[in-house]
Amino acid sequence: MHINDIDTPSVLIDLDRVEANLKRAQDYADTHDLPLRPHVKTHKLSEMAQKQVALGAIGITCQKIGEATAMADGGLTDIFLPYNIIGTSKLDRLVDLHARVTLSVTADSTDTVAGYAARFGAAKPLNVLVECDTGAGRCGVQSPEETVELAQQINDAPGLTFGGLMTYPPRGNIAQADAWLHKAKAALESAGLPPKVISSGGTPDMYRAAEGTATTEYRPGTYIYSDRMQVAFGVGTLDDCALTVKATVVSRPNVNRAVIDSGSKALAADAVPAPYTGYGHLVEYPNAVIIALSEEHAVVDLSACVDKPLIGDTVRVIPNHACVVTNLFDMVYLVRGDTVEREAKITSRGNMR
């Protein structure tokens, strides 16, 4: 099957670029003796997760129980869920998943820890890491002192094991996060609770991750596909972007405007940092700008283009944020060059619970 035979809108995944991105990251990790535990939120494909593990990743990261369960169904056996699991139904599902795989979770409150402790027993305790807010301002305990208090609560619960620390650090400020984690580590060691794992992550700082000397594992996600956002952050170039949305020009209302059939339901609506503008990069028309999205349409400004597409022409769009695009489609096409190797059903698409 040739890519020209694919109807639109559709997602194409360039396997040569995927493999190059994975190798680059794994080579960096191996050089710096920094184990990778990649986040599957970007690809949501168990076969891609298997590729990552085969290259050397120590396991995977999932954000929700549904996503983790789908990955377990796909043969993944070592899963980290860096999320506060709250509520009876979710804890029931967590117990079931824990029986199937090697599982770790996080907590940043006594409420979350109490919920875990009430459901897990000494026969197979649940591994729990304390989530730390090292500057990103999302979840996490707010000080090394709080870290010790929560770690002690975890350690005292018969059905739980204190596994260490986890953070989603502020982009571009490795030193700040590292200093925070070193202080927490020292406080824990003084309390007789040395952390076995200190887990950090984020693709934007992937190739500086070794500067975080407290970190013992790293959780990149978007690196497998990359996107315009990562390019704007300085992670590679547009030539590294493996995911594109194939779209068709459905209207040319005037000489400088085109409309394609991939709106917010195909491209998402994330903004991209400077120097980039618009809602995606048209590979065939690099000077075009996607200036507006509605649900089923993207409006393209062609005023800076010498050559301009006609109605019926197809284009490939590098999205601003690949992770969101993956969750908008049921399947993707895996391609090499212009040849479609196969279709792949997105394993954990829509598993947000």
Side-chain angles (χ1 to χ4, degrees):
M1 186 177 183
H2 192 279
I3 60 172
N4 289 347
D5 300 323
I6 298 172
D7 204 355
T8 64
S10 294
V11 172
L12 280 58
I13 305 298
D14 186 314
L15 291 173
D16 291 330
R17 293 184 179 187
V18 163
E19 290 162 6
N21 292 341
L22 292 181
K23 184 178 186 303
R24 178 189 176 200
Q26 192 63 54
D27 285 350
Y28 176 88
D30 292 345
T31 297
H32 295 281
D33 194 25
L34 181 62
L36 291 186
R37 183 179 289 278
H39 207 310
V40 303
K41 68 186 180 71
T42 301
H43 55 74
K44 293 183 176 289
L45 288 164
S46 57
E47 65 181 275
M48 290 297 183
Q50 294 283 14
K51 280 180 179 286
Q52 291 168 311
V53 171
L55 275 176
I58 60 172
I60 63 169
T61 303
C62 299
Q63 204 64 41
K64 297 295 179 66
I65 300 171
E67 187 173 67
T69 300
M71 288 294 152
D73 292 343
L76 282 303
T77 59
D78 191 323
I79 300 174
F80 180 34
L81 267 171
Y83 209 86
N84 289 299
I85 310 299
I86 305 295
T88 301
S89 64
K90 285 186 172 62
L91 288 169
D92 287 345
R93 293 163 59 217
L94 191 69
V95 169
D96 291 342
L97 180 62
H98 182 247
R100 300 175 56 192
V101 299
T102 299
L103 183 67
S104 299
V105 297
T106 57
D108 71 353
S109 71
T110 58
D111 295 316
T112 303
V113 173
Y116 296 152
R119 299 303 304 276
F120 290 88
K124 188 183 179 184
L126 178 68
N127 194 49
V128 184
L129 283 71
V130 174
E131 181 166 3
C132 305
D133 179 4
T134 56
R138 194 166 68 180
C139 298
V141 296
Q142 298 297 294
S143 69
E145 293 75 23
E146 288 183 43
T147 304
V148 173
E149 291 173 9
L150 202 59
Q152 190 68 62
Q153 183 187 358
I154 295 166
N155 188 68
D156 291 345
L160 306 180
T161 299
F162 172 57
L165 306 178
M166 168 265 169
T167 189
Y168 183 75
R171 176 175 55 84
N173 203 337
I174 294 173
Q176 173 184 323
D178 197 45
W180 201 109
L181 293 169
H182 272 296
K183 288 179 182 177
K185 178 183 177 184
L188 287 164
E189 289 171 343
S190 295
L193 295 167
K196 296 187 287 289
V197 172
I198 300 180
S199 180
S200 188
T203 295
D205 291 323
M206 168 74 219
Y207 296 103
R208 295 181 54 212
E211 296 174 23
T213 56
T215 301
T216 67
E217 69 172 33
Y218 202 78
R219 310 181 317 275
T222 315
Y223 80 106
I224 186 172
Y225 290 163
S226 195
D227 53 27
R228 284 182 93 213
M229 194 173 296
Q230 298 306 319
V231 174
F233 292 153
V235 185
T237 70
L238 291 170
D239 289 337
D240 298 311
C241 294
L243 182 151
T244 55
V245 176
K246 183 184 176 187
T248 298
V249 177
V250 294
S251 178
R252 282 290 309 276
N254 63 43
V255 67
N256 286 326
R257 189 196 316 162
V259 180
I260 59 177
D261 63 352
S262 298
S264 62
K265 289 180 178 177
L267 296 175
D270 294 63
V272 69
Y276 297 102
T277 59
Y279 295 96
H281 172 81
L282 273 67
V283 174
E284 297 82 358
Y285 302 93
N287 294 320
V289 180
I290 300 176
I291 58 173
L293 297 177
S294 55
E295 290 185 56
E296 306 291 355
H297 301 87
V299 179
V300 185
D301 179 0
L302 302 172
S303 58
C305 300
V306 176
D307 297 319
K308 302 177 183 184
L310 303 174
I311 291 175
D313 287 351
T314 59
V315 295
R316 292 175 68 171
V317 182
I318 297 173
N320 289 352
H321 192 177
C323 309
V324 181
V325 171
T326 298
N327 200 51
L328 296 172
F329 288 81
D330 290 325
M331 52 82 63
V332 296
Y333 293 89
L334 306 180
V335 307
R336 291 190 192 274
D338 293 335
T339 301
V340 179
E341 287 202 350
R342 64 189 182 280
E343 300 176 16
K345 181 177 174 58
I346 299 178
T347 309
S348 56
R349 190 246 176 183
N351 288 318
M352 295 181 287
R353 293 186 293 173

